[in-house]
């Protein structure tokens, strides 16, 4: 047996080899080109794969296709030709932790990592890192992937990591390769969270002592590994890892140690330095049991010890907590680190701690203020070098050369981090600040030079409708003008004049633009106008097309057309509402009246236009419905017009795969369904339930697929259309009446009420008649609860993702910042409610919210001061959660069932949000009509980098 190398010799050997590596790296490190930062409009996020179920990681091939893994075991492929994502296979994996009390909980583990062999084009080798389905271990295995099929017989188990499964958390799973064919793998610490650091040395608490995991030189957990995979499925140890092969009480695979949860890892192809995100502990503030928590974005220029569980951030020390006596013990020395835990099976004397590169807490970071504040989860990302790509289609600009492009999973930002010639941190800046990835879990450049981001989505441990793979495309050349063409008046009796408008046309390159309008019609010589907004006169009846062509100074052009009908005055449609014209309020009636007037046909007021010639519809649609797609345009009004909302919803679903309006397909026709059920008063609820849950046996043997993802509100709109599909009348609603908005069960109430009225007049003339004109009026009453991050006018605020709770984005306010919502009807609104909070853990200092009209300095109609909230007692909260878990595991007294039949359970109460604060209520002075409403945030004593508060919702109350 080889003798252990003395610690001083080890350190000298590693330091000498590290010097050689460092010298070579510095020689390769180049200074940034002095180039201009590219405008954000040159970058376009393109959604590739969506509808994913907990995506974890991905790899991109040269042809643009992508392999994506999901935590529950799925391996999928995105095909750029068909723009579809198909399942290749599902690997059996473990996804649960089971405590000693027998309580089963969802685990972070499953299928965690994917990488392709550097010679994948020839050998077809794919590596997957996953949790064994039955045994307590994580496995790195290699397969042949041939014709998009995983060849099971080719499987080679490369590496195993022994784990525990009684308590959460941290799995790692990031993989990458260096230019020598060495594979890096990040491995989480697999340790329970208690107090601050995890150093519980009591018997039976090994799973809570990270001194036996991350701080143990003889354990692979809490490490970054570096191995060299061999063709036979084994691996060898490359020179230069933390401990030479054969060193007693060490694992030679370890490149670096002392990690809590190293995540996505990358190698700088020029320097050989490695970069990764490191997820830190949760403490909100410094205390006697340890410092506040920090996440880290780290750089390693050589193998090293990054200090966990004794240190975090810039060597902030945790005392080794004495759990037996419930008191903090001594702190370790980062320069002379000794591991004395009884759970340590490795060396006692460890290397001094390596420096952290970037580190940031929940609150504001004085050293790295741009990272923001709030929830944090450092992901990592790639270092950009143009030379890494062979003939890329869309290489990123030279401005990003040598920069580390890193993301944060919780905060939803992407940063470009600049290093100086020595590789030291210099600065950072946001990349595409208007793009807000929802929990970016993996990020890398593809072979084509594009940046790819995998968004995990809002929901943890379950499928999210906003999980997706996004490609960020860069256009470094000339961009076509963006053309907008419209017409002041779309028609009229001849002769009439109208103005053609190019308003909204723009060129992102700020090129000089040439405008050319061509107005053409049958039997009329085309007219050309070379001005932006010409006035055009029409003397002859007919249908004309006005086409605007805009050309930039480099010859790139783009066009858009509008239609004009001369000889028939368009009808006028008006909808008048009682009360507020911006918001609806559940269960409060909305009075409406529709009026039609037409120059040739008469009006509803004089009785010449009858009520049955007008289509009137009112629908409640779920949150997210794009009402712009409902527009009638110049389609003639008929019996289906009133169901335009339903038809729009159906066009986005699979309804017509199995059903047709009047003929039987796989399933019955809409007409058959209508005839069977329209007289049944309970049909709406019955059929809506069937659409969501599926069913069979009524119309034949073919089962109807379930559609649980469709919102109940949208299903009810669709079912109402089907039940009335045999009606021939244009409208089932009168021209005047009241509508009471009612929120369907399970709907979040954040949808919209769409009130529409449309009328098609009669053609003019006999032989060659001028076509009919259709005019539509639509009023959209929105929910009185607005998402603050969707404010169209902002200054000085930041947004951050609320992905953990699936609540979208929050606004972070600073001194003298504001947001505004234009054209809000304040009629009847007397109070505003904001879910605003100034949390100490986020570094917020509080301030005053002012409500002003017209501008940030306009009329003040309400204000409210918000102070910093009392900190949450994390120790007490964790004790309550632990106590709740024990209750789950213990059957209630007298709860046994009879004859093996389980007694029915009462519905579980909704979990209490322990961080929630009461809403901020702001009383308003009486105001009527539509106003531009400004929310202005003040605190003259706050520093520029100190947030005042954050909030995500605004509720208007009457």
């Amino acid at each position: 047996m080889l003798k252990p190398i003395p610690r001083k010799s080890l350190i000298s050997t590693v330091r000498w080899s590290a010097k050689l590596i460092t010298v070579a790296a510095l020689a390769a490190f180049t200074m940034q080109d002095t180039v201009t930062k590219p405008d954000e409009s040159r970058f376009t996020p393109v959604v590739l794969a969506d509808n994913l179920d907990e995506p974890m990681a991905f790899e991109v091939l040269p042809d643009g296709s992508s392999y994506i893994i999901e935590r529950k075991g799925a391996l999928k492929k995105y095909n750029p030709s068909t723009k579809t994502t198909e399942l290749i296979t599902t690997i059996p994996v473990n996804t649960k932790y089971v405590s000693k009390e027998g309580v089963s909980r969802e685990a972070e583990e499953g299928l965690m990592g994917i990488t392709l062999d550097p010679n994948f084009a020839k050998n077809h080798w794919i590596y997957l890192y996953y949790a064994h389905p039955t045994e307590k271990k994580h496995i790195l295995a290699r397969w042949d992937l041939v014709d998009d099929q995983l060849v099971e017989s080719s499987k080679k188990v490369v590496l195993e990591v022994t784990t525990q499964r009684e308590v959460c958390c941290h799995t790692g799973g990031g993989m990458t390769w260096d230019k020598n064919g060495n594979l890096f793998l990040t491995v989480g610490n697999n340790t329970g969270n208690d107090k601050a650091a995890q150093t519980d040395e009591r018997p039976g608490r090994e799973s809570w002592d990270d001194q036996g995991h991350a701080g143990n030189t003889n354990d692979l957990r809490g490490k970054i590994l570096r191995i060299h995979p061999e063709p036979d499925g084994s691996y060898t140890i490359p020179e230069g890892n933390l401990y030479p092969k054969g060193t007693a009480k060490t694992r030679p695979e370890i490149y670096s140690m002392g990690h809590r949860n190293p995540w996505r890892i990358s190698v700088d192809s020029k320097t050989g330095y490695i970069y990764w995100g490191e997820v830190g502990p949760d403490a909100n503030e410094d205390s006697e049991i340890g410092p506040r928590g920090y996440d880290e974005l780290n750089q390693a220029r050589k193998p090293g010890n990054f200090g966990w569980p004794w240190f975090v951030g810039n060597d902030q020390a945790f005392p080794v907590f004495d759990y037996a006596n419930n008191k903090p013990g001594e702190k370790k020395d980062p320069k002379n680190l000794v591991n004395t835990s009884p759970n340590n099976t490795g060396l006692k004397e460890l290397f001094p701690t390596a420096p952290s590169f970037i580190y940031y807490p929940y609150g504001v970071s004085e050293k790295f203020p741009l990272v923001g504040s709030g929830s944090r989860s450092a992901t990592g990302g790639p270092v950009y070098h143009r030379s890494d790509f062979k003939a890329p289609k869309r290489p990123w600009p030279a401005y990003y050369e040598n920069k580390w492009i890193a993301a944060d999973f919780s905060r939803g930002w992407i940063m470009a981090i600049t290093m100086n010639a020595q590789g030291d941190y210099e600065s950072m800046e946001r990349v595409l600040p208007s793009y807000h990835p929802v929990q970016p879990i993996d990020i890398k450049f593809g072979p084509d030079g594009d940046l790819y981001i995998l968004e995990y989505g809002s929901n943890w441990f379950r499928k999210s409708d906003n999980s997706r793979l996004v490609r960020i495309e860069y256009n470094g050349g000339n961009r076509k003008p963006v053309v907008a063409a419209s017409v002041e008046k779309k028609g009229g009796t001849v002769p009439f004049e109208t103005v053609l408008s190019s308003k909204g046309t723009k060129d992102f390159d700020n090129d000089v633009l040439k405008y050319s309008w061509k107005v053409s019609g049958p039997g009329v010589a085309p007219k050309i106008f070379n001005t932006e907004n010409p006035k055009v006169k029409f003397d002859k009846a007919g249908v004309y097309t006005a086409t605007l062509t805009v050309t930039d100074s480099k010859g790139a052009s783009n066009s858009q057309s509008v239609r004009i009908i001369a000889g028939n005055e368009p009808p006028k449609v008006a909808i008048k509402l009682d009360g507020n014209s911006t918001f609806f309020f559940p269960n409060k009636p909305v009075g409406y009246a529709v009026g039609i007037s037409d120059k040739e046909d008469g009006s509803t007021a004089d009785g010449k236009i009858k009520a049955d010639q007008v289509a009137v519809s009112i629908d409640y649609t779920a949150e997210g419905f794009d009402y712009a797609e409902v527009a009638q345009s110049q389609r003639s009004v008929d019996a289906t017009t009133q169901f335009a909302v339903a038809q729009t919803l159906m066009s986005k679903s699979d309804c017509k795969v199995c059903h047709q309006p009047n003929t039987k397909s796989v399933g019955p026709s809409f007409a058959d369904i209508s005839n069977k059920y329209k007289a049944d008063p309970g049909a709406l609820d019955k059929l809506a339930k069937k659409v969501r849950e599926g069913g069979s046996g009524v119309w034949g043997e073919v089962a109807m697929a379930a559609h649980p993802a469709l919102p109940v509100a949208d299903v009810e709109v669709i079912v109402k259309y089907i039940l009335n599909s045999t009606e021939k009348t244009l409208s089932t609603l009168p021209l005047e009446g009241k509508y009471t908005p009612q929120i369907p069960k399970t709907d979040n109430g954040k949808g919209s009420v769409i009130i529409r009225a449309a009328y098609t007049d009669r053609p003019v003339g006999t032989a060659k008649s001028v076509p009919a004109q259709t005019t539509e009026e639509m009023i959209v009453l929105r929910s009185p609860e607005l998402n603050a991050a969707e404010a169209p006018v902002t200054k000085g605020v930041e947004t951050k993702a609320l992905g953990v709770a699936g609540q979208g984005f929050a606004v972070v306010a600073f001194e003298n910042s504001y947001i505004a919502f234009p054209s809000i009807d304040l009629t009847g609104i007397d109070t505003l409610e904001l879910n605003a909070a100034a949390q100490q853990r986020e570094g917020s200092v509080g301030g005053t919210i002012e409500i002003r009209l017209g501008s940030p300095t306009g009329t003040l109609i309400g204000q409210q001061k918000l102070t910093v909230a009392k900190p949450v007692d994390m120790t007490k909260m964790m004790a309550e959660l632990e106590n709740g878990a024990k209750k789950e595991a213990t059957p209630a007294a007298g709860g046994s069932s009879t004859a093996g039949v389980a007694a029915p359970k009462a519905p579980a109460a909704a979990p209490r949000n322990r961080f929630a604060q009461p809403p901020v209520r702001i009383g308003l002075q009486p105001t009527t009509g539509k106003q531009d409403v400004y929310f202005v945030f003040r605190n003259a004593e706050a520093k520029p980098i100190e947030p005042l508060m954050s909030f995500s919702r605004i509720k208007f109350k009457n």
Side-chain angles (χ1 to χ4, degrees):
M1 181 179 293
L2 294 174
K3 293 183 179 180
I5 300 174
R7 181 172 183 266
K8 289 184 178 179
S9 298
L10 266 176
I11 295 174
S12 297
T13 301
V14 172
R15 282 177 177 167
W16 176 245
S17 60
K19 285 180 181 178
L20 294 177
I21 294 171
T22 302
V23 170
L26 292 181
F29 222 107
T30 57
M31 292 294 287
Q32 298 295 319
D33 294 334
T34 54
V35 293
T36 304
K37 182 179 180 179
D39 185 76
E40 188 173 350
S41 66
R42 291 191 174 276
F43 297 90
T44 304
V46 178
V47 177
L48 304 179
D50 55 10
N51 197 33
L52 302 173
D53 187 355
E54 288 194 78
M56 300 297 290
F58 70 96
E59 288 289 340
V60 182
L61 276 66
D63 66 357
S65 58
S66 305
Y67 293 114
I68 305 167
I69 61 168
E70 297 175 341
R71 187 182 67 91
K72 300 181 183 72
L75 170 62
K76 294 180 175 180
K77 183 180 182 182
Y78 166 74
N79 186 325
S81 298
T82 62
K83 293 182 170 44
T84 58
T85 305
E86 303 294 339
L87 176 68
I88 293 175
T89 190
T90 300
I91 298 169
V93 295
N94 175 66
T95 61
K96 304 290 182 183
Y97 297 126
V98 181
S99 70
K100 289 180 179 178
E101 294 81 13
V103 177
S104 176
R105 281 191 169 84
E106 206 64 35
E108 289 185 359
E109 64 184 45
L111 180 52
M112 302 167 290
I114 179 176
T115 190
L116 304 179
D117 192 271
N119 295 313
F120 177 79
K122 295 180 179 179
N123 60 32
H124 309 293
W125 291 341
I126 183 173
Y127 295 81
L128 299 174
Y129 185 61
Y130 65 96
H132 191 281
T134 57
E135 300 176 29
K136 296 176 182 178
K137 58 184 178 182
H138 294 168
I139 294 175
L140 174 65
R142 189 192 81 194
W143 282 265
D144 291 357
L145 186 61
V146 181
D147 296 329
D148 291 331
Q149 296 297 313
L150 208 61
V151 181
E152 187 59 33
S153 61
S154 70
K155 180 180 178 182
K156 303 286 187 183
V157 174
V158 179
L159 177 72
E160 294 185 355
V161 179
T162 302
T163 62
Q164 58 80 23
R165 290 181 178 172
E166 67 171 319
V167 64
C168 178
C169 286
H170 309 144
T171 58
M175 288 189 279
T176 194
W177 302 81
D178 66 15
K179 61 184 178 182
N180 297 316
N182 298 318
L183 175 63
F184 288 86
L185 168 66
T186 65
V187 182
N189 64 348
N190 185 228
T191 306
N193 297 300
D194 198 4
K195 302 291 184 184
Q198 285 74 62
T199 54
D200 193 341
E201 299 177 357
R202 291 175 295 176
R205 297 287 291 180
E206 296 84 2
S207 297
W208 283 262
D209 184 9
D210 223 354
Q211 299 170 115
H213 297 180
N216 185 351
T217 63
N218 205 26
D219 193 292
L220 297 182
R221 290 171 290 184
K223 310 295 192 299
I224 294 177
L225 311 181
R226 185 177 68 151
I227 62 175
H228 189 86
E230 301 296 336
D232 63 358
S234 64
Y235 63 88
T236 54
I237 304 298
E239 293 295 324
N241 276 358
L242 188 60
Y243 294 98
K245 188 176 181 180
T247 305
K249 295 186 177 182
T250 68
R251 291 293 298 264
E253 299 91 343
I254 298 172
Y255 181 83
S256 62
M257 63 178 291
H259 300 292
R260 187 173 182 268
N261 192 19
W263 218 358
R264 301 301 174 230
I265 185 170
S266 62
V267 177
D268 186 326
S269 63
K270 287 191 175 182
T271 65
Y273 298 169
I274 67 170
Y275 294 84
W276 71 96
E278 180 96 37
V279 183
D282 295 328
N284 177 43
E285 55 189 12
D286 297 337
S287 69
E288 65 172 2
I289 65 172
R292 59 180 177 171
Y294 293 85
D295 272 27
E296 299 168 8
L297 290 167
N298 274 329
Q299 176 200 75
R301 306 182 186 185
K302 61 182 181 179
N305 174 18
F306 283 80
W308 184 261
W310 303 285
F311 302 95
V312 71
N314 57 335
D315 278 344
Q316 298 288 312
F318 292 91
V320 178
F321 197 84
D322 182 352
Y323 285 83
N325 296 300
N326 197 33
K327 63 179 183 180
E330 294 296 320
K331 295 179 180 179
K332 299 283 187 181
D333 180 355
K335 303 306 178 186
N336 296 283
L337 190 53
V338 180
N339 185 350
T340 58
S341 169
N343 298 312
N344 177 30
T345 62
L347 299 175
K348 287 188 176 181
E349 292 187 353
L350 306 178
F351 287 113
T353 58
S356 298
F357 194 56
I358 295 169
Y359 47 92
Y360 51 98
Y362 283 126
V364 173
S365 169
E366 294 282 347
K367 189 167 186 179
F368 308 102
L370 280 182
V371 298
S373 60
S375 299
R376 50 182 165 78
S377 192
T379 303
V383 176
Y384 178 72
H385 294 299
R386 170 63 176 79
S387 59
D388 289 342
F389 312 100
K390 295 180 181 179
K393 291 188 299 183
R394 289 178 293 266
W396 272 41
Y399 179 83
Y400 290 104
E401 183 68 26
N402 295 334
K403 287 182 167 69
W404 181 18
I405 311 299
D408 185 289
F409 176 86
S410 296
R411 296 186 179 179
W413 47 243
I414 303 171
M415 291 285 180
I417 299 166
T418 301
M419 287 79 73
N420 63 19
Q422 289 71 44
D424 300 325
Y425 172 83
E426 189 171 274
S427 63
M428 68 171 66
E429 61 186 305
R430 289 285 293 272
V431 179
L432 275 73
S434 64
Y435 165 57
H436 301 287
V438 180
Q439 303 200 134
I441 197 168
D442 197 10
I443 173 173
K444 63 193 66 171
F445 284 99
D448 50 9
D450 292 322
L451 184 69
Y452 290 76
I453 296 125
L454 185 63
E455 300 184 23
Y456 177 81
S458 300
N459 301 318
W460 281 22
F461 300 128
R462 59 191 175 94
K463 188 174 183 179
S464 302
D465 59 8
N466 54 358
S467 60
R468 56 190 188 170
L469 178 64
V470 175
R471 180 173 65 216
I472 307 296
E473 298 179 355
Y474 172 72
N475 178 7
N478 183 46
R479 289 161 289 183
K480 289 182 178 181
V482 178
V483 178
S486 59
V487 59
E488 182 182 66
K489 187 178 180 183
K490 64 182 181 179
T493 54
V494 291
F496 84 96
E497 286 186 335
T498 189
V499 176
L500 304 178
S501 173
S502 62
K503 183 179 180 181
T505 297
K506 57 187 175 182
D507 186 271
F508 285 119
D509 300 312
N510 295 318
D511 293 332
V512 175
L513 300 179
K514 293 182 179 179
Y515 296 81
S516 178
W517 285 93
K518 180 180 180 181
V519 180
S520 59
V524 178
K527 294 181 180 180
I528 304 297
F529 302 88
N530 293 319
T531 57
E532 296 179 32
N533 306 303
K535 182 181 289 186
V536 184
K537 184 177 182 180
F538 295 88
D539 297 310
K540 184 178 179 181
V543 178
Y544 295 82
T545 300
T547 301
L548 170 62
T549 300
V550 181
T551 306
D552 68 15
S553 57
K554 299 177 182 68
S557 63
N558 213 347
S559 301
Q560 192 179 57
S561 299
V562 291
R563 190 174 82 147
I564 302 165
I565 298 177
N568 184 2
E569 190 81 18
K572 295 178 181 179
V573 178
I575 303 175
K576 294 182 179 180
L577 300 181
D578 295 340
N580 197 284
S581 61
T582 298
F583 304 111
F584 73 87
F585 299 91
N587 302 316
K588 293 186 177 181
V590 177
Y592 71 92
V594 175
I596 310 292
S597 63
D598 184 81
K599 188 172 183 179
E600 294 86 10
D601 296 357
S603 68
T604 50
D606 64 17
K608 291 182 179 179
I609 297 177
K610 307 299 182 185
D612 60 8
Q613 295 175 273
V614 184
V616 179
S617 62
I618 305 179
D619 296 284
Y620 174 82
T621 60
E623 183 181 21
F625 178 76
D626 186 1
Y627 52 82
E629 297 186 20
V630 178
Q632 186 73 11
S633 188
Q634 282 301 307
R635 291 172 294 171
S636 294
V637 170
D638 59 21
T640 66
T641 299
Q642 61 186 306
F643 301 114
V645 172
Q647 292 173 342
T648 301
L649 291 169
M650 292 170 72
S651 70
K652 296 180 177 296
S653 72
D654 61 356
C655 296
K656 293 186 178 179
V657 173
C658 299
H659 303 279
Q660 297 297 322
N662 297 300
T663 58
K664 185 181 185 303
S665 180
V666 177
S669 69
F670 296 146
D672 288 340
I673 297 171
S674 174
N675 291 330
K676 181 178 179 68
Y677 290 106
K678 64 183 178 182
D680 181 353
L684 178 61
D685 291 339
K686 185 189 301 181
L687 294 182
K689 181 179 180 182
K690 191 169 185 178
V691 170
R692 285 174 51 84
E693 298 179 2
S696 62
V698 178
W699 300 95
E701 297 180 359
V702 179
M704 177 180 178
H707 299 77
L710 281 176
V712 173
D714 292 353
V715 172
E716 289 187 355
V717 171
I718 291 171
V719 171
K720 286 177 184 176
Y721 161 62
I722 295 173
L723 290 174
N724 290 280
S725 61
T726 55
E727 293 292 333
K728 302 303 179 185
T729 57
L730 295 190
S731 180
T732 55
L733 292 177
L735 294 181
E736 187 174 350
K738 290 186 180 293
Y739 170 81
T740 302
Q742 294 181 334
I743 309 303
K745 295 177 181 178
T746 75
D747 187 86
N748 63 10
K750 298 179 183 178
S752 302
V753 172
I754 300 176
I755 304 173
R756 296 175 64 248
Y759 172 72
T760 299
D761 67 10
R762 291 189 294 268
V764 177
T766 54
K768 291 185 177 180
S769 61
V770 177
Q773 292 260 46
T774 297
T775 299
E776 163 189 38
E777 178 73 4
M778 180 166 63
I779 295 177
V780 179
L781 299 180
R782 65 175 84 174
S783 163
E785 183 174 305
L786 303 185
N787 294 322
E790 294 177 1
V793 179
T794 66
K795 182 179 179 182
V797 299
E798 293 181 358
T799 57
K800 66 176 182 179
L802 292 175
V804 173
Q807 295 179 346
F809 299 92
V811 167
V812 181
F814 296 83
E815 155 61 8
N816 207 29
S817 62
Y818 61 80
I819 66 172
F821 292 88
S823 195
I824 297 292
D825 189 354
L826 292 179
T827 302
I829 305 298
D830 55 24
T831 306
L832 296 179
E833 281 189 359
L834 284 71
N835 66 335
Q839 297 282 4
Q840 188 180 61
R841 65 184 274 144
E842 296 185 355
S844 299
V845 296
T848 300
I849 307 168
E850 298 177 348
I851 312 301
R852 294 182 177 272
L853 303 181
S855 76
T857 57
T859 303
L860 179 69
I861 62 169
Q863 63 180 335
Q864 182 63 49
K865 187 174 182 179
L866 177 65
T867 57
V868 177
K870 182 180 178 181
V872 175
D873 189 331
M874 295 296 293
T875 303
K876 180 180 178 182
M877 188 186 79
M878 294 303 293
E880 290 176 354
L881 291 173
E882 184 71 20
N883 186 49
K886 290 178 180 179
K887 287 182 179 179
E888 283 185 41
T890 306
S896 60
S897 58
T898 305
V901 179
K905 294 181 180 180
R912 178 167 62 94
N913 183 350
R914 301 168 191 272
F915 295 98
Q917 299 292 324
V920 177
R921 294 182 173 85
I922 306 173
L924 301 183
Q925 297 175 11
T927 308
T928 58
K930 291 191 174 183
Q931 308 284 344
D932 295 341
V933 181
Y934 282 75
F935 295 74
V936 185
F937 308 96
R938 309 276 193 189
N939 184 338
E941 298 178 359
K943 298 177 182 178
I945 66 170
E946 287 181 323
L948 307 188
M949 64 195 74
S950 61
F951 64 104
S952 61
R953 298 190 302 276
I954 304 169
K955 185 175 287 188
F956 292 73
K957 307 195 74 173
N958 65 358

